[in-house]
Each structure stands twice: as C-alpha cells, then as structure tokens.
Amino acid sequence: MRRLLTLLAVLGLAAAGVVLAVVLGTGGDDGTPAGDPAASQTPVVVPEGAIEVVVLVDESTDSSDAERAIGLVTEGARMWQGGLAGLAGEEPGEGSGKDESQEGAAELVVRTERVAPDGTAQVAGAEIVVVVASDTASAGGAVLDTGCTTYDDVFAFRAWREREGFDSHHRLPEGTFDATCDGEPVCLAVNATFTAGGVAPMEAFSLVGDELGHCLGRTGA
C-alpha cells in the first residue's frame, strides 16, 4: 500500500506537467563526489540565481531512511518547481535556457551532504537546508556551519526544539528555523519523521512540501 501511494504521488506530479528542473546529486565544496552511492556521482553545479536546497544526512543513518528522505525532498522540490513556473506564467519545460535578464521561475537545485555523527557540515551559500534529524539523538553530535553561524547537535531534534525561533506547528517532530547570513535569508527545515514506517507516505510528502513552501516564501522565491 505504501509503495502504491508513493507511486501515485509521483505519477500525480508527472500528470500535472511538473518542470523537471531539479538537480539531484552529491558533492563537496571541492567538487569531489561524496555521499549516497545510489545518488548521482556527478558534483552538483548550482547555477547563478538558482535556489540551493541541501539535504543534510547523518552518515550513520539507515540507508533506506536516508534514501526515503532524499527522495521525498527531491519530489517536493519538483512539485514546487512546477508551482513556481506556473506563477511565472511559464509552460512546463520553459525556463531552462533563460539568461539572467529574462524573468521566470527560480531553478531549485537539490544536493545531499552526508556528515559524520561528530563532524561539521559546511553549507555556506545555500538558501534552504533540510536536516534529516533524529528524535533520539543526544548531545555531542555534528555541527552545522552556514558560513555565518554554527549550530551544535544539528541532527538532534530536541536541540532545535529548544532554540528560540524554531517553529513547529505540527504534531510531529519537525519544523523550520529562520536565519540570515550576510544579510541573506537561510531557512532550515528540520525533520525527524523520515524513519521508514514512522509516517505514512502521503503525510511524509505533505510535511516536506509544507516545509519547502515555508522556506521558499521566506527566501523570496
């Protein structure tokens, strides 16, 4: 049943004529591929003017849960890409060859970063960071560095819950946190519902879409 619901969600996006302008891959700042071996091994290039969405994953996370999270964020971004194109008055498929002088929907570029449980994730320049968190992670964990601010225990949902300004308006362990770097908005979406079996597929997809929608609104997309 879960596989069927997930398939229906994907087919629904395709039927709606979603613009497939989302790039999925892995890679570090030095251009070397890293992370999920199932993902593209081509380093992700973020075009000027695009909105960068980084999926941050603890490398010790179960691979099926990590793949589920990355897949949901990618499909959520594709959905929003189609919505942004519609708001810009584009037909599906338009916009990929435009220069900066032409108006159109912002391109969403999704990439993943796998981080050691006690490591540091550097995501300077990213407008949106989706943290694949855990509701049971303890202190002493990985650090997130946005280029202006660092956050300890990035994968521990309880650490985010205790931060002033964290907005969790659902009954589930997830929410968003607004920050700025060099005067530019950075939206952090923290989600601890990606464990397989923890949340029904459609509800999980809805949560991701909701988080991305909040972040896109706050980053001025």
Side-chain angles (χ1 to χ4, degrees):
M1 178 59 75
R2 288 176 178 167
R3 290 182 179 178
L4 176 59
L5 289 172
T6 303
L7 177 60
L8 289 174
V10 175
L11 290 177
L13 291 172
V18 171
V19 179
L20 301 182
V22 178
V23 180
L24 172 64
T26 60
D29 293 334
D30 60 356
T32 55
D36 189 353
S40 168
Q41 291 300 300
T42 303
V44 175
V45 177
V46 182
E48 186 175 354
I51 297 173
E52 183 178 9
V53 182
V54 178
V55 186
L56 209 60
V57 182
D58 184 334
E59 67 178 16
S60 64
T61 300
D62 182 271
S63 60
S64 62
D65 293 338
E67 290 170 6
R68 183 170 187 257
I70 294 166
L72 284 168
V73 175
T74 303
E75 292 304 323
R78 285 185 173 133
M79 176 185 71
W80 276 106
Q81 180 74 78
L84 293 172
L87 290 172
E90 297 177 3
E91 293 295 328
E94 291 182 351
S96 59
K98 294 183 177 181
D99 60 35
E100 293 181 38
S101 65
Q102 295 174 297
E103 295 183 357
E107 181 179 1
L108 306 184
V109 178
V110 181
R111 68 179 181 87
T112 65
E113 284 285 345
R114 284 185 176 271
V115 185
D118 59 350
T120 297
Q122 296 182 331
V123 295
E127 288 87 355
I128 300 174
V129 180
V130 180
V131 179
V132 181
S134 169
D135 211 13
T136 59
S138 59
V143 174
L144 169 63
D145 182 357
T146 65
C148 296
T149 308
T150 58
Y151 301 92
D152 296 329
D153 306 321
V154 61
F155 296 118
F157 182 75
R158 68 182 69 180
W160 290 102
R161 197 196 302 269
E162 294 171 357
R163 289 188 172 99
E164 184 178 357
F166 183 71
D167 180 18
S168 180
H169 54 275
H170 295 284
R171 59 180 176 80
L172 295 168
E174 58 80 47
T176 57
F177 183 86
D178 294 330
T180 58
C181 186
D182 295 330
E184 297 296 327
V186 179
C187 184
L188 309 173
V190 185
N191 195 321
T193 70
F194 288 122
T195 302
V199 178
M202 290 304 291
E203 185 173 16
F205 183 75
S206 176
L207 284 170
V208 169
D210 181 70
E211 292 169 351
L212 289 176
H214 283 299
C215 285
L216 287 168
R218 292 165 185 171
T219 56

